[in-house]
Amino acid sequence: MIQFPKPTVEQFFRTYAISNFTVSSDEQRLIFSTNLNGKMNLWAMDLPDTFPYLFAHYDESISFIKIDPENRYVLAGYDKDGDENHQIYAIPNEGGLPQPLITGDELEKYFFSHLSEDGKRIYYMTSEENPSFLNARVRNLEDNSDTLLNVGEASPTQLSAVSDDEEAFVYLRSYANTYVTGFVKVGEETHSLTPDPDKVHVVFDPVFIDEKTIYFVTDYESEYSYVAKFDLDTKEFSSVVTVEKESVDTLKWDKENKAFYLVTEKGVADVLYRYHLKTHKLEQLKTPIDVIGKVQVTKSGSLYLLGTSATVPSNIFKSTDGNEWKQLTNNGVLGVSTGDMVEPEVVSYKSFDGMEIEALLCKPKPENDNGHTIFWPHGGPQASERKTFRAMFQSFLNRGYTIFAPNFRGSTGYGSSFVKLVEQDWGEGPRLDCLAAIEWLFNNNITEREKLFLVGGSYGGYMALLLHGRHPEYFKAVVDIFGPSDLFTFVNSVPPHWKPIMDRWLGDPERDKERFIKDSPVTYLDGMTKPMLVIQGAKDPRVVKEESDQIVAKLEEKGRDVEYLVLEDEGHGFSKKENEIKVYNLMLEFLEKHQG
Ligand SMILES: CC(=O)N[C@@H](C)C(=O)N[C@@H](C)C(=O)O
């Protein structure tokens, strides 16, 4: 019989992303954003058939998709080469080429908020005239009038919910990732959704279930976020559903069945629940994947879910009862079964101060093992490494590398206090958690000293630079993917609507001058003696190219071994397949070159 070789690393590169989706109200059409043809575009399937076809061609990343309730048009948000200046486009119902609808100068942003029930008014946020705090506006599609609804003040604002009669609006105001207040505005009256907006807490995912009742998620006076309610008649706030040691992350309303769907974050995986308003019963539901990217509940009460697991790339699923799932997309790794891939182990270790830190340990199949480990600090930093599919991880594992990804202090999924631990402390606590992890790898005979690589992206890239500069003895070579290199320049180069949150998140360059010096990777150039690869998207608005340019220039001046790849048409990530493959190949070549 014909014998086929084992899967090669290149096969893992041929995996496609599905980053978002929506279903039409009649459930006849599923539209999703994917890089199936190499670049991000909208594709569709006419349900129940499952053959995807190109729906809108624009070759750019898509920030949202919304189908007109009466199926006359589709709305989508596009940016340019990853610059995150999202603008709103309209696409004919039959598909085609997106037409600019709510757009402006290429540096302005237009974020979609809400489409009225009759599909005639679009509510949106814009940076126009208010780049730091953003204004809310409404565009009437019948007469093309555009009205200012709210002027953002004090901190970036977001119009997050609109009542069906369009008389009441919920705005969120962010002071930090961990401090977001919510307030409802009706005519000239404004009320905080929580009893005291001066207390640090978050509010998100507000839903009007009628003109007078708003449900939302908050961690007000709690370690874990829960579902709460605000009554516009009585102005009363009350807690509705809490889940022990799990943070509610998503709230969706099922109007048909008078129930809520909740996604909770439990460390490295998600849990899906249904909460019945009449019976107050909370049911845990089965899901086909570990991490849920998006949930949509349709008018009929059907549930659609986009999700992924460590060995399952993103796919869309449908359920009519919340327990049996039909997979609508068949997005896999070219010729590779889930059994040929690696499922991470969830481990935990004690850090320098006794704090328990959870981590993902991915071990290659014994026949592939090359004896080397990649240490991967995640980005964010207020995010976490979870059981999601990463082509990069699975291809490195296929080449024989062990991967270790710690959820150091500041990571999400472990309660509100834990997330706050990275605020105004980017370089000390989390770095010491990483060092404790490395010692744990050595002490548990998972990694040999002299066989450790360091790779990280964004905040993970910053941590890779900092660990390299301060502790070069641990590493053979280092890969930095768009990591901030100097906190003084980084704090001033972020997008305008991030600036108001920088103080709580990172600190103030004057007040915290000593700490900024201590925690900036550029302070430790002398230590950066190991070979380095730096990768950067030229259009990255979050960690701008100068952050990588300056560290590369300074290391080159010192005659260090540093390679630099700039992707001209990418931002904070690699959305184009050929760019992604170029990056993975270069990283693998670099690691292989420095194994000896
Ligand atoms: C404001 C904020 O938390 N932004 C993050 C989502 C982000 O983009 N952080 C960068 C620095 C990253 O690490 O990805």
Side-chain angles (χ1 to χ4, degrees), residues 108-151:
E108 300 290 0
K109 300 173 206 306
Y110 303 83
F111 301 121
F112 173 80
S113 289
H114 177 83
L115 182 62
S116 61
E117 290 279 285
D118 59 6
K120 293 181 178 169
R121 286 164 303 286
I122 301 170
Y123 291 82
Y124 66 99
M125 301 301 305
T126 177
S127 60
E128 248 184 70
E129 294 170 5
N130 199 353
S132 297
F133 307 142
L134 310 176
N135 288 340
R137 302 188 66 94
V138 58
R139 170 75 55 93
N140 187 323
L141 295 178
E142 284 192 311
D143 59 11
N144 228 11
S145 59
D146 201 289
T147 315
L148 178 67
L149 271 184
N150 188 62
V151 175

mmCIF file of all heavy atoms in Angstrom, residues 108-151:
data_model
loop_
_atom_site.group_PDB
_atom_site.id
_atom_site.type_symbol
_atom_site.label_atom_id
_atom_site.label_comp_id
_atom_site.label_asym_id
_atom_site.label_seq_id
_atom_site.Cartn_x
_atom_site.Cartn_y
_atom_site.Cartn_z
ATOM 1 N N GLU A 108 -8.973 58.493 11.382
ATOM 2 C CA GLU A 108 -10.119 58.481 12.306
ATOM 3 C C GLU A 108 -10.643 57.063 12.501
ATOM 4 O O GLU A 108 -10.460 56.191 11.652
ATOM 5 C CB GLU A 108 -11.264 59.358 11.763
ATOM 6 C CG GLU A 108 -10.900 60.813 11.568
ATOM 7 C CD GLU A 108 -10.695 61.585 12.878
ATOM 8 O OE1 GLU A 108 -10.837 61.000 13.969
ATOM 9 O OE2 GLU A 108 -10.363 62.793 12.786
ATOM 10 N N LYS A 109 -11.348 56.867 13.649
ATOM 11 C CA LYS A 109 -11.910 55.556 13.964
ATOM 12 C C LYS A 109 -13.428 55.689 14.079
ATOM 13 O O LYS A 109 -13.928 56.687 14.615
ATOM 14 C CB LYS A 109 -11.379 55.060 15.309
ATOM 15 C CG LYS A 109 -9.866 54.912 15.348
ATOM 16 C CD LYS A 109 -9.428 54.588 16.772
ATOM 17 C CE LYS A 109 -8.033 55.026 17.070
ATOM 18 N NZ LYS A 109 -6.992 54.594 16.210
ATOM 19 N N TYR A 110 -14.139 54.669 13.605
ATOM 20 C CA TYR A 110 -15.602 54.626 13.697
ATOM 21 C C TYR A 110 -15.970 53.229 14.182
ATOM 22 O O TYR A 110 -15.808 52.263 13.432
ATOM 23 C CB TYR A 110 -16.255 54.912 12.339
ATOM 24 C CG TYR A 110 -15.817 56.250 11.763
ATOM 25 C CD1 TYR A 110 -14.626 56.364 11.054
ATOM 26 C CD2 TYR A 110 -16.577 57.394 11.987
ATOM 27 C CE1 TYR A 110 -14.190 57.590 10.564
ATOM 28 C CE2 TYR A 110 -16.151 58.627 11.493
ATOM 29 C CZ TYR A 110 -14.953 58.714 10.792
ATOM 30 O OH TYR A 110 -14.525 59.928 10.314
ATOM 31 N N PHE A 111 -16.373 53.125 15.453
ATOM 32 C CA PHE A 111 -16.677 51.811 16.032
ATOM 33 C C PHE A 111 -18.188 51.598 16.048
ATOM 34 O O PHE A 111 -18.919 52.415 16.613
ATOM 35 C CB PHE A 111 -16.172 51.718 17.478
ATOM 36 C CG PHE A 111 -14.682 51.929 17.617
ATOM 37 C CD1 PHE A 111 -14.181 52.962 18.404
ATOM 38 C CD2 PHE A 111 -13.778 51.079 16.995
ATOM 39 C CE1 PHE A 111 -12.812 53.154 18.561
ATOM 40 C CE2 PHE A 111 -12.407 51.258 17.147
ATOM 41 C CZ PHE A 111 -11.924 52.299 17.926
ATOM 42 N N PHE A 112 -18.641 50.500 15.490
ATOM 43 C CA PHE A 112 -20.071 50.179 15.483
ATOM 44 C C PHE A 112 -20.554 49.885 16.901
ATOM 45 O O PHE A 112 -19.895 49.184 17.653
ATOM 46 C CB PHE A 112 -20.298 48.955 14.589
ATOM 47 C CG PHE A 112 -21.703 48.431 14.646
ATOM 48 C CD1 PHE A 112 -22.706 49.045 13.912
ATOM 49 C CD2 PHE A 112 -22.023 47.349 15.456
ATOM 50 C CE1 PHE A 112 -24.013 48.571 13.981
ATOM 51 C CE2 PHE A 112 -23.318 46.867 15.520
ATOM 52 C CZ PHE A 112 -24.315 47.478 14.780
ATOM 53 N N SER A 113 -21.752 50.423 17.259
ATOM 54 C CA SER A 113 -22.324 50.112 18.583
ATOM 55 C C SER A 113 -23.618 49.326 18.474
ATOM 56 O O SER A 113 -23.804 48.327 19.158
ATOM 57 C CB SER A 113 -22.641 51.390 19.359
ATOM 58 O OG SER A 113 -21.481 52.018 19.780
ATOM 59 N N HIS A 114 -24.547 49.799 17.602
ATOM 60 C CA HIS A 114 -25.894 49.217 17.647
ATOM 61 C C HIS A 114 -26.638 49.535 16.351
ATOM 62 O O HIS A 114 -26.455 50.610 15.784
ATOM 63 C CB HIS A 114 -26.642 49.842 18.849
ATOM 64 C CG HIS A 114 -28.056 49.407 18.993
ATOM 65 N ND1 HIS A 114 -28.396 48.223 19.612
ATOM 66 C CD2 HIS A 114 -29.224 49.976 18.582
ATOM 67 C CE1 HIS A 114 -29.719 48.095 19.585
ATOM 68 N NE2 HIS A 114 -30.240 49.141 18.962
ATOM 69 N N LEU A 115 -27.477 48.593 15.921
ATOM 70 C CA LEU A 115 -28.354 48.837 14.772
ATOM 71 C C LEU A 115 -29.793 48.775 15.280
ATOM 72 O O LEU A 115 -30.161 47.829 15.996
ATOM 73 C CB LEU A 115 -28.110 47.749 13.706
ATOM 74 C CG LEU A 115 -28.892 47.867 12.408
ATOM 75 C CD1 LEU A 115 -28.562 49.167 11.654
ATOM 76 C CD2 LEU A 115 -28.610 46.668 11.502
ATOM 77 N N SER A 116 -30.605 49.788 14.911
ATOM 78 C CA SER A 116 -31.986 49.826 15.404
ATOM 79 C C SER A 116 -32.761 48.604 14.902
ATOM 80 O O SER A 116 -32.403 48.001 13.895
ATOM 81 C CB SER A 116 -32.668 51.121 14.963
ATOM 82 O OG SER A 116 -32.685 51.161 13.543
ATOM 83 N N GLU A 117 -33.834 48.273 15.606
ATOM 84 C CA GLU A 117 -34.652 47.087 15.280
ATOM 85 C C GLU A 117 -35.115 47.077 13.829
ATOM 86 O O GLU A 117 -35.220 46.019 13.214
ATOM 87 C CB GLU A 117 -35.913 47.077 16.177
ATOM 88 C CG GLU A 117 -35.621 46.785 17.621
ATOM 89 C CD GLU A 117 -35.459 45.308 17.896
ATOM 90 O OE1 GLU A 117 -36.472 44.593 17.923
ATOM 91 O OE2 GLU A 117 -34.308 44.882 18.070
ATOM 92 N N ASP A 118 -35.386 48.292 13.264
ATOM 93 C CA ASP A 118 -35.866 48.349 11.869
ATOM 94 C C ASP A 118 -34.712 48.484 10.876
ATOM 95 O O ASP A 118 -34.927 48.631 9.676
ATOM 96 C CB ASP A 118 -36.865 49.510 11.691
ATOM 97 C CG ASP A 118 -36.240 50.863 12.042
ATOM 98 O OD1 ASP A 118 -35.009 50.909 12.318
ATOM 99 O OD2 ASP A 118 -36.974 51.867 12.045
ATOM 100 N N GLY A 119 -33.476 48.460 11.380
ATOM 101 C CA GLY A 119 -32.301 48.516 10.501
ATOM 102 C C GLY A 119 -32.103 49.877 9.843
ATOM 103 O O GLY A 119 -31.380 49.987 8.854
ATOM 104 N N LYS A 120 -32.712 50.934 10.401
ATOM 105 C CA LYS A 120 -32.616 52.243 9.738
ATOM 106 C C LYS A 120 -31.661 53.213 10.412
ATOM 107 O O LYS A 120 -31.356 54.259 9.876
ATOM 108 C CB LYS A 120 -34.016 52.872 9.654
ATOM 109 C CG LYS A 120 -34.922 52.091 8.719
ATOM 110 C CD LYS A 120 -36.292 52.711 8.609
ATOM 111 C CE LYS A 120 -37.135 51.903 7.623
ATOM 112 N NZ LYS A 120 -38.543 52.296 7.668
ATOM 113 N N ARG A 121 -31.239 52.931 11.635
ATOM 114 C CA ARG A 121 -30.332 53.842 12.344
ATOM 115 C C ARG A 121 -29.133 53.074 12.904
ATOM 116 O O ARG A 121 -29.294 52.043 13.557
ATOM 117 C CB ARG A 121 -31.068 54.560 13.488
ATOM 118 C CG ARG A 121 -32.022 55.642 12.984
ATOM 119 C CD ARG A 121 -33.015 56.086 14.022
ATOM 120 N NE ARG A 121 -33.822 54.988 14.548
ATOM 121 C CZ ARG A 121 -34.809 54.378 13.893
ATOM 122 N NH1 ARG A 121 -35.133 54.759 12.666
ATOM 123 N NH2 ARG A 121 -35.479 53.381 14.444
ATOM 124 N N ILE A 122 -27.957 53.630 12.608
ATOM 125 C CA ILE A 122 -26.721 53.002 13.091
ATOM 126 C C ILE A 122 -26.136 53.871 14.198
ATOM 127 O O ILE A 122 -25.862 55.062 13.981
ATOM 128 C CB ILE A 122 -25.685 52.868 11.944
ATOM 129 C CG1 ILE A 122 -26.264 52.035 10.807
ATOM 130 C CG2 ILE A 122 -24.381 52.261 12.461
ATOM 131 C CD1 ILE A 122 -25.408 52.062 9.550
ATOM 132 N N TYR A 123 -25.951 53.292 15.372
ATOM 133 C CA TYR A 123 -25.309 53.985 16.495
ATOM 134 C C TYR A 123 -23.830 53.618 16.466
ATOM 135 O O TYR A 123 -23.481 52.447 16.316
ATOM 136 C CB TYR A 123 -25.952 53.553 17.819
ATOM 137 C CG TYR A 123 -27.367 54.055 17.958
ATOM 138 C CD1 TYR A 123 -28.428 53.380 17.356
ATOM 139 C CD2 TYR A 123 -27.647 55.214 18.668
ATOM 140 C CE1 TYR A 123 -29.736 53.849 17.471
ATOM 141 C CE2 TYR A 123 -28.942 55.688 18.797
ATOM 142 C CZ TYR A 123 -29.983 54.995 18.185
ATOM 143 O OH TYR A 123 -31.267 55.469 18.295
ATOM 144 N N TYR A 124 -22.990 54.603 16.631
ATOM 145 C CA TYR A 124 -21.553 54.318 16.565
ATOM 146 C C TYR A 124 -20.743 55.299 17.418
ATOM 147 O O TYR A 124 -21.254 56.345 17.818
ATOM 148 C CB TYR A 124 -21.064 54.336 15.100
ATOM 149 C CG TYR A 124 -21.131 55.686 14.421
ATOM 150 C CD1 TYR A 124 -20.002 56.491 14.316
ATOM 151 C CD2 TYR A 124 -22.326 56.169 13.887
ATOM 152 C CE1 TYR A 124 -20.048 57.733 13.694
ATOM 153 C CE2 TYR A 124 -22.388 57.413 13.264
ATOM 154 C CZ TYR A 124 -21.250 58.188 13.175
ATOM 155 O OH TYR A 124 -21.302 59.415 12.570
ATOM 156 N N MET A 125 -19.491 54.923 17.684
ATOM 157 C CA MET A 125 -18.552 55.777 18.406
ATOM 158 C C MET A 125 -17.533 56.282 17.400
ATOM 159 O O MET A 125 -17.158 55.539 16.484
ATOM 160 C CB MET A 125 -17.779 54.992 19.479
ATOM 161 C CG MET A 125 -18.596 54.316 20.530
ATOM 162 S SD MET A 125 -19.622 55.431 21.486
ATOM 163 C CE MET A 125 -18.440 56.628 22.097
ATOM 164 N N THR A 126 -17.079 57.492 17.583
ATOM 165 C CA THR A 126 -16.062 58.004 16.661
ATOM 166 C C THR A 126 -14.982 58.815 17.386
ATOM 167 O O THR A 126 -15.247 59.460 18.404
ATOM 168 C CB THR A 126 -16.693 58.861 15.543
ATOM 169 O OG1 THR A 126 -15.632 59.377 14.729
ATOM 170 C CG2 THR A 126 -17.505 60.023 16.088
ATOM 171 N N SER A 127 -13.789 58.767 16.796
ATOM 172 C CA SER A 127 -12.674 59.568 17.319
ATOM 173 C C SER A 127 -12.727 60.984 16.756
ATOM 174 O O SER A 127 -12.022 61.870 17.251
ATOM 175 C CB SER A 127 -11.347 58.928 16.894
ATOM 176 O OG SER A 127 -11.261 58.875 15.482
ATOM 177 N N GLU A 128 -13.581 61.200 15.739
ATOM 178 C CA GLU A 128 -13.672 62.529 15.111
ATOM 179 C C GLU A 128 -14.026 63.570 16.173
ATOM 180 O O GLU A 128 -15.016 63.394 16.902
ATOM 181 C CB GLU A 128 -14.814 62.526 14.082
ATOM 182 C CG GLU A 128 -14.365 62.651 12.658
ATOM 183 C CD GLU A 128 -15.566 62.737 11.734
ATOM 184 O OE1 GLU A 128 -16.266 63.759 11.743
ATOM 185 O OE2 GLU A 128 -15.809 61.748 11.022
ATOM 186 N N GLU A 129 -13.265 64.622 16.268
ATOM 187 C CA GLU A 129 -13.461 65.727 17.221
ATOM 188 C C GLU A 129 -13.226 65.338 18.678
ATOM 189 O O GLU A 129 -13.346 66.167 19.568
ATOM 190 C CB GLU A 129 -14.857 66.365 17.082
ATOM 191 C CG GLU A 129 -15.007 67.060 15.748
ATOM 192 C CD GLU A 129 -16.421 67.495 15.450
ATOM 193 O OE1 GLU A 129 -17.292 67.340 16.313
ATOM 194 O OE2 GLU A 129 -16.611 67.999 14.332
ATOM 195 N N ASN A 130 -12.955 64.065 18.969
ATOM 196 C CA ASN A 130 -12.735 63.661 20.356
ATOM 197 C C ASN A 130 -11.879 62.378 20.394
ATOM 198 O O ASN A 130 -12.345 61.319 20.800
ATOM 199 C CB ASN A 130 -14.091 63.442 21.049
ATOM 200 C CG ASN A 130 -13.982 63.466 22.561
ATOM 201 O OD1 ASN A 130 -12.879 63.516 23.110
ATOM 202 N ND2 ASN A 130 -15.117 63.399 23.232
ATOM 203 N N PRO A 131 -10.612 62.478 19.945
ATOM 204 C CA PRO A 131 -9.803 61.268 19.770
ATOM 205 C C PRO A 131 -9.513 60.501 21.049
ATOM 206 O O PRO A 131 -9.331 59.287 21.005
ATOM 207 C CB PRO A 131 -8.490 61.790 19.156
ATOM 208 C CG PRO A 131 -8.479 63.248 19.401
ATOM 209 C CD PRO A 131 -9.905 63.694 19.520
ATOM 210 N N SER A 132 -9.483 61.180 22.195
ATOM 211 C CA SER A 132 -9.141 60.471 23.442
ATOM 212 C C SER A 132 -10.358 59.849 24.110
ATOM 213 O O SER A 132 -10.269 58.759 24.673
ATOM 214 C CB SER A 132 -8.488 61.422 24.435
ATOM 215 O OG SER A 132 -7.279 61.894 23.893
ATOM 216 N N PHE A 133 -11.491 60.562 24.073
ATOM 217 C CA PHE A 133 -12.646 60.091 24.861
ATOM 218 C C PHE A 133 -13.773 59.542 23.988
ATOM 219 O O PHE A 133 -14.652 58.876 24.488
ATOM 220 C CB PHE A 133 -13.176 61.218 25.760
ATOM 221 C CG PHE A 133 -12.110 61.864 26.625
ATOM 222 C CD1 PHE A 133 -12.111 63.223 26.867
ATOM 223 C CD2 PHE A 133 -11.103 61.083 27.176
ATOM 224 C CE1 PHE A 133 -11.124 63.806 27.666
ATOM 225 C CE2 PHE A 133 -10.111 61.647 27.972
ATOM 226 C CZ PHE A 133 -10.116 63.013 28.211
ATOM 227 N N LEU A 134 -13.783 59.865 22.732
ATOM 228 C CA LEU A 134 -14.734 59.382 21.717
ATOM 229 C C LEU A 134 -16.162 59.932 21.912
ATOM 230 O O LEU A 134 -16.629 60.067 23.041
ATOM 231 C CB LEU A 134 -14.784 57.853 21.668
ATOM 232 C CG LEU A 134 -13.437 57.114 21.574
ATOM 233 C CD1 LEU A 134 -13.638 55.604 21.633
ATOM 234 C CD2 LEU A 134 -12.663 57.481 20.308
ATOM 235 N N ASN A 135 -16.827 60.208 20.791
ATOM 236 C CA ASN A 135 -18.210 60.672 20.811
ATOM 237 C C ASN A 135 -19.132 59.595 20.280
ATOM 238 O O ASN A 135 -18.738 58.796 19.429
ATOM 239 C CB ASN A 135 -18.374 61.917 19.930
ATOM 240 C CG ASN A 135 -17.722 63.141 20.559
ATOM 241 O OD1 ASN A 135 -17.485 63.167 21.774
ATOM 242 N ND2 ASN A 135 -17.426 64.130 19.741
ATOM 243 N N ALA A 136 -20.376 59.598 20.794
ATOM 244 C CA ALA A 136 -21.382 58.672 20.273
ATOM 245 C C ALA A 136 -22.274 59.438 19.304
ATOM 246 O O ALA A 136 -22.670 60.580 19.587
ATOM 247 C CB ALA A 136 -22.219 58.113 21.412
ATOM 248 N N ARG A 137 -22.566 58.823 18.152
ATOM 249 C CA ARG A 137 -23.403 59.479 17.159
ATOM 250 C C ARG A 137 -24.393 58.464 16.610
ATOM 251 O O ARG A 137 -24.219 57.250 16.773
ATOM 252 C CB ARG A 137 -22.561 60.025 16.001
ATOM 253 C CG ARG A 137 -21.481 61.011 16.409
ATOM 254 C CD ARG A 137 -20.844 61.649 15.186
ATOM 255 N NE ARG A 137 -21.786 62.494 14.450
ATOM 256 C CZ ARG A 137 -21.907 63.808 14.640
ATOM 257 N NH1 ARG A 137 -21.140 64.438 15.499
ATOM 258 N NH2 ARG A 137 -22.779 64.498 13.938
ATOM 259 N N VAL A 138 -25.452 58.978 15.934
ATOM 260 C CA VAL A 138 -26.379 58.069 15.258
ATOM 261 C C VAL A 138 -26.571 58.535 13.817
ATOM 262 O O VAL A 138 -26.773 59.723 13.561
ATOM 263 C CB VAL A 138 -27.715 57.945 16.043
ATOM 264 C CG1 VAL A 138 -28.391 59.277 16.240
ATOM 265 C CG2 VAL A 138 -28.653 56.966 15.343
ATOM 266 N N ARG A 139 -26.453 57.594 12.880
ATOM 267 C CA ARG A 139 -26.656 57.902 11.448
ATOM 268 C C ARG A 139 -28.017 57.343 11.038
ATOM 269 O O ARG A 139 -28.290 56.146 11.236
ATOM 270 C CB ARG A 139 -25.545 57.237 10.632
ATOM 271 C CG ARG A 139 -25.711 57.242 9.125
ATOM 272 C CD ARG A 139 -25.440 58.583 8.482
ATOM 273 N NE ARG A 139 -24.128 59.128 8.799
ATOM 274 C CZ ARG A 139 -23.029 58.946 8.053
ATOM 275 N NH1 ARG A 139 -23.112 58.244 6.924
ATOM 276 N NH2 ARG A 139 -21.878 59.486 8.402
ATOM 277 N N ASN A 140 -28.862 58.232 10.490
ATOM 278 C CA ASN A 140 -30.163 57.793 10.008
ATOM 279 C C ASN A 140 -30.018 57.441 8.523
ATOM 280 O O ASN A 140 -29.712 58.305 7.699
ATOM 281 C CB ASN A 140 -31.172 58.933 10.208
ATOM 282 C CG ASN A 140 -32.575 58.490 9.878
ATOM 283 O OD1 ASN A 140 -32.780 57.712 8.948
ATOM 284 N ND2 ASN A 140 -33.528 58.977 10.650
ATOM 285 N N LEU A 141 -30.244 56.190 8.184
ATOM 286 C CA LEU A 141 -29.994 55.755 6.806
ATOM 287 C C LEU A 141 -31.076 56.242 5.837
ATOM 288 O O LEU A 141 -30.862 56.254 4.632
ATOM 289 C CB LEU A 141 -29.900 54.224 6.738
ATOM 290 C CG LEU A 141 -28.719 53.591 7.486
ATOM 291 C CD1 LEU A 141 -28.760 52.080 7.386
ATOM 292 C CD2 LEU A 141 -27.374 54.113 6.962
ATOM 293 N N GLU A 142 -32.229 56.675 6.373
ATOM 294 C CA GLU A 142 -33.303 57.134 5.475
ATOM 295 C C GLU A 142 -33.020 58.524 4.911
ATOM 296 O O GLU A 142 -33.169 58.769 3.720
ATOM 297 C CB GLU A 142 -34.635 57.124 6.218
ATOM 298 C CG GLU A 142 -35.154 55.709 6.345
ATOM 299 C CD GLU A 142 -36.576 55.677 6.816
ATOM 300 O OE1 GLU A 142 -36.891 56.351 7.821
ATOM 301 O OE2 GLU A 142 -37.374 54.973 6.182
ATOM 302 N N ASP A 143 -32.576 59.457 5.799
ATOM 303 C CA ASP A 143 -32.334 60.814 5.290
ATOM 304 C C ASP A 143 -30.854 61.190 5.376
ATOM 305 O O ASP A 143 -30.485 62.331 5.139
ATOM 306 C CB ASP A 143 -33.190 61.836 6.055
ATOM 307 C CG ASP A 143 -32.884 61.825 7.553
ATOM 308 O OD1 ASP A 143 -31.878 61.186 7.951
ATOM 309 O OD2 ASP A 143 -33.639 62.441 8.319
ATOM 310 N N ASN A 144 -30.015 60.222 5.753
ATOM 311 C CA ASN A 144 -28.563 60.429 5.838
ATOM 312 C C ASN A 144 -28.163 61.463 6.889
ATOM 313 O O ASN A 144 -27.032 61.966 6.862
ATOM 314 C CB ASN A 144 -28.008 60.829 4.475
ATOM 315 C CG ASN A 144 -26.795 59.996 4.160
ATOM 316 O OD1 ASN A 144 -26.512 59.019 4.863
ATOM 317 N ND2 ASN A 144 -26.063 60.387 3.138
ATOM 318 N N SER A 145 -29.077 61.807 7.802
ATOM 319 C CA SER A 145 -28.695 62.765 8.854
ATOM 320 C C SER A 145 -27.813 62.041 9.870
ATOM 321 O O SER A 145 -27.912 60.823 10.034
ATOM 322 C CB SER A 145 -29.934 63.339 9.543
ATOM 323 O OG SER A 145 -30.667 62.275 10.110
ATOM 324 N N ASP A 146 -26.983 62.805 10.552
ATOM 325 C CA ASP A 146 -26.047 62.217 11.508
ATOM 326 C C ASP A 146 -26.064 63.084 12.757
ATOM 327 O O ASP A 146 -25.769 64.277 12.698
ATOM 328 C CB ASP A 146 -24.647 62.186 10.870
ATOM 329 C CG ASP A 146 -23.760 61.176 11.539
ATOM 330 O OD1 ASP A 146 -23.355 61.416 12.696
ATOM 331 O OD2 ASP A 146 -23.486 60.138 10.925
ATOM 332 N N THR A 147 -26.455 62.518 13.886
ATOM 333 C CA THR A 147 -26.688 63.327 15.080
ATOM 334 C C THR A 147 -25.729 62.940 16.198
ATOM 335 O O THR A 147 -25.513 61.749 16.441
ATOM 336 C CB THR A 147 -28.149 63.085 15.576
ATOM 337 O OG1 THR A 147 -28.985 63.134 14.443
ATOM 338 C CG2 THR A 147 -28.582 64.095 16.601
ATOM 339 N N LEU A 148 -25.223 63.967 16.883
ATOM 340 C CA LEU A 148 -24.348 63.734 18.034
ATOM 341 C C LEU A 148 -25.217 63.346 19.228
ATOM 342 O O LEU A 148 -26.169 64.042 19.570
ATOM 343 C CB LEU A 148 -23.577 65.023 18.345
ATOM 344 C CG LEU A 148 -22.643 64.998 19.539
ATOM 345 C CD1 LEU A 148 -21.456 64.060 19.290
ATOM 346 C CD2 LEU A 148 -22.124 66.406 19.843
ATOM 347 N N LEU A 149 -24.883 62.206 19.870
ATOM 348 C CA LEU A 149 -25.687 61.727 21.009
ATOM 349 C C LEU A 149 -25.018 62.012 22.342
ATOM 350 O O LEU A 149 -25.658 62.303 23.323
ATOM 351 C CB LEU A 149 -25.794 60.199 20.941
ATOM 352 C CG LEU A 149 -26.902 59.538 20.190
ATOM 353 C CD1 LEU A 149 -26.799 58.040 20.397
ATOM 354 C CD2 LEU A 149 -28.251 60.029 20.696
ATOM 355 N N ASN A 150 -23.703 61.818 22.366
ATOM 356 C CA ASN A 150 -22.981 61.964 23.632
ATOM 357 C C ASN A 150 -21.538 62.352 23.366
ATOM 358 O O ASN A 150 -20.903 61.802 22.468
ATOM 359 C CB ASN A 150 -23.010 60.621 24.378
ATOM 360 C CG ASN A 150 -22.447 60.724 25.785
ATOM 361 O OD1 ASN A 150 -22.974 61.455 26.624
ATOM 362 N ND2 ASN A 150 -21.362 60.023 26.043
ATOM 363 N N VAL A 151 -21.054 63.295 24.168
ATOM 364 C CA VAL A 151 -19.650 63.689 24.050
ATOM 365 C C VAL A 151 -18.876 62.982 25.167
ATOM 366 O O VAL A 151 -19.201 63.139 26.342
ATOM 367 C CB VAL A 151 -19.513 65.233 24.181
ATOM 368 C CG1 VAL A 151 -18.048 65.655 24.176
ATOM 369 C CG2 VAL A 151 -20.266 65.914 23.041
#
